[in-house]
């Protein structure tokens, strides 16, 4: 992945919201067939056994056992039983949104990965299946956690295929805003300055930024400042006032309140707890 796109990609990951709508493990029926439909959810298929046919966009596949397929929301798809042994597969339907956009509209990843010799993939699906059937108060949290682990596994194992930001994400003016924040977070950045980078009216810019990333521009700027504050607390002997000057928050009491609200520690306690000894 292009290093210059990493801050934008991390922002998407940090603000990802997932919802699981269906989960299963079964052998498909002989009438398993749907042609040229466009779902409003994403699908994962982990093929365990059998034969069949898939079409994702313009690409056709005859998946083999051990292959894990992603069928993204908003992409025309088809699938069908063939004359051989019917597919047995783990599957799930889910949404994965950053703001108002589907994650897989923002990232370019392959249609499938090979998990043939890795029992971890099947275990992750089993966990999701198990958590989905629970009635405990924590079940929704376990389901979300398991779904995030599935997505993380898929993305990590797609590294060999160099997953990247989609062309649409790369060409949007908001990428320029993220780059500007990364280079200038230590200054007194204003909404007007950031909006100018995107060539948008400030009020409209705030709405567009939040729809795209799931967080406000100022929240993102402060998050970047706090990340740098944490690093300087544990890697230097700088006074908090000096750190504040470096990260763009000269009001030390405000920096302390913001830091504690984010981490649960005062800056001093954080340094004592996590600093080198």
């Amino acid at each position: 992945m292009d290093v210059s796109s990493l801050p934008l990609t991390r922002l998407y990951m940090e603000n990802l919201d997932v919802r699981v709508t269906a989960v299963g493990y079964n052998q498909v029926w002989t009438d398993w067939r749907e042609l040229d439909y466009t779902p409003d959810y994403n699908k994962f298929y982990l093929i365990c056994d059998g034969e069949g046919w898939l079409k994702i966009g313009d690409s056709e596949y005859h998946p083999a056992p051990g292959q894990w397929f992603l069928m993204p929301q908003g992409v025309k798809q088809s699938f069908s039983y063939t004359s051989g042994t019917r597919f047995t597969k783990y599957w799930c339907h889910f949404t994965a949104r950053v703001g108002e956009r589907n994650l897989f509209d923002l990232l370019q990843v392959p249609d499938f990965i090979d998990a043939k010799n890795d029992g971890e993939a099947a275990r992750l699906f089993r966990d999701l299946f198990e958590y989905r059937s629970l009635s405990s108060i924590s079940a929704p949290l376990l389901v979300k956690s398991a779904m995030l682990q599935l997505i993380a596994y898929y993305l990590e194992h797609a590294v060999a295929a160099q997953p990247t930001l989609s062309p649409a994400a790369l060409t949007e003016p908001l990428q320029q805003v993220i780059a500007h924040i990364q280079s200038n977070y230590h200054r007194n950045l204003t909404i007007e300055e950031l909006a100018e980078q995107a060539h948008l009216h400030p009020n409209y810019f705030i709405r567009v930024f939040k729809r795209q990333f799931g967080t406000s521009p100022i929240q993102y700027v402060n998050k970047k400042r706090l990340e740098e504050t944490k690093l300087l607390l544990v890697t230097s002997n700088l006074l908090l006032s000096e750190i504040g000057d470096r990260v763009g928050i000269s009001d030390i009491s405000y920096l302390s309140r913001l830091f504690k609200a984010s981490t649960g520690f005062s800056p001093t306690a954080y340094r004592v707890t996590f600093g080198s000894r």
Side-chain angles (χ1 to χ4, degrees):
M1 183 180 292
D2 181 358
V3 174
S4 66
S5 70
L6 285 176
L8 187 56
T9 307
R10 285 181 61 87
L11 179 55
Y12 288 144
M13 297 299 104
E14 290 165 357
N15 291 283
L16 181 63
D17 179 58
V18 298
R19 296 286 187 276
V20 179
T21 56
V23 179
Y25 172 73
N26 60 277
Q27 186 177 53
V28 304
W29 297 99
T30 55
D31 62 354
W32 185 70
R33 177 183 175 86
E34 187 79 42
L35 300 179
D36 294 332
Y37 78 107
T38 304
D40 59 1
Y41 51 85
N42 306 294
K43 296 186 292 184
F44 273 152
Y45 288 171
L46 176 61
I47 308 302
C48 299
D49 193 16
E51 302 174 14
W53 169 78
L54 302 178
K55 185 176 181 181
I56 306 172
D58 296 325
S59 301
E60 297 189 39
Y61 302 97
H62 292 273
Q67 290 181 330
W68 176 347
F69 276 79
L70 165 66
M71 303 179 75
Q73 171 187 338
V75 175
K76 186 178 288 188
Q77 304 168 11
S78 301
F79 59 79
S80 177
Y81 162 71
T82 55
S83 59
T85 305
R86 290 173 285 151
F87 272 149
T88 298
K89 59 184 174 67
Y90 286 102
W91 58 271
C92 64
H93 298 172
F94 65 99
T95 59
R97 295 190 173 278
V98 181
E100 297 181 358
R101 303 191 63 182
N102 181 32
L103 174 66
F104 302 109
D105 290 339
L106 301 169
L107 295 179
Q108 290 184 315
V109 294
D111 290 340
F112 71 94
I113 60 173
D114 187 359
K116 184 175 182 179
N117 298 316
D118 189 353
E120 178 72 3
R123 184 192 67 78
L124 291 173
F125 275 95
R126 286 197 299 270
D127 285 349
L128 179 63
F129 188 82
E130 176 186 344
Y131 297 152
R132 182 77 172 171
S133 65
L134 296 177
S135 58
S136 65
I137 191 172
S138 62
L141 300 178
L142 293 170
V143 168
K144 283 190 176 184
S145 174
M147 191 68 243
L148 287 170
Q149 288 186 65
L150 282 168
I151 293 171
Y153 182 106
Y154 194 95
L155 294 179
E156 287 294 330
H157 287 75
V159 166
Q162 292 297 310
T164 59
L165 290 172
S166 71
L170 285 169
T171 58
E172 290 174 354
L174 289 180
Q175 189 190 11
Q176 178 61 34
V177 175
I178 297 300
H180 189 73
I181 291 171
Q182 293 291 322
S183 299
N184 297 279
Y185 65 89
H186 56 282
R187 295 197 297 102
N188 181 27
L189 291 173
T190 65
I191 290 296
E192 288 73 19
E193 179 180 343
L194 297 177
E196 185 177 347
Q197 294 292 319
H199 308 292
L200 296 172
H201 185 278
N203 291 338
Y204 183 61
F205 163 70
I206 293 171
R207 295 196 298 272
V208 169
F209 192 98
K210 192 162 187 177
R211 282 202 305 267
Q212 176 80 9
F213 301 121
T215 189
S216 74
I218 293 304
Q219 286 173 329
Y220 179 69
V221 171
N222 283 338
K223 185 177 186 303
K224 174 62 182 174
R225 288 168 171 167
L226 290 175
E227 287 176 352
E228 187 66 14
T229 299
K230 287 190 283 187
L231 178 64
L232 291 172
L233 282 171
V234 300
T235 61
S236 77
N237 294 317
L238 293 173
L239 298 175
L240 187 58
S241 59
E242 295 172 311
I243 292 175
D245 289 338
R246 288 200 181 191
V247 303
I249 303 178
S250 56
D251 185 336
I252 301 308
S253 61
Y254 175 66
L255 175 58
S256 296
R257 291 197 304 273
L258 199 64
F259 191 91
K260 188 166 186 177
S262 174
T263 66
F265 293 88
S266 69
T268 300
Y270 189 90
R271 171 172 271 167
V272 169
T273 303
F274 299 106
S276 57
R277 300 178 182 181

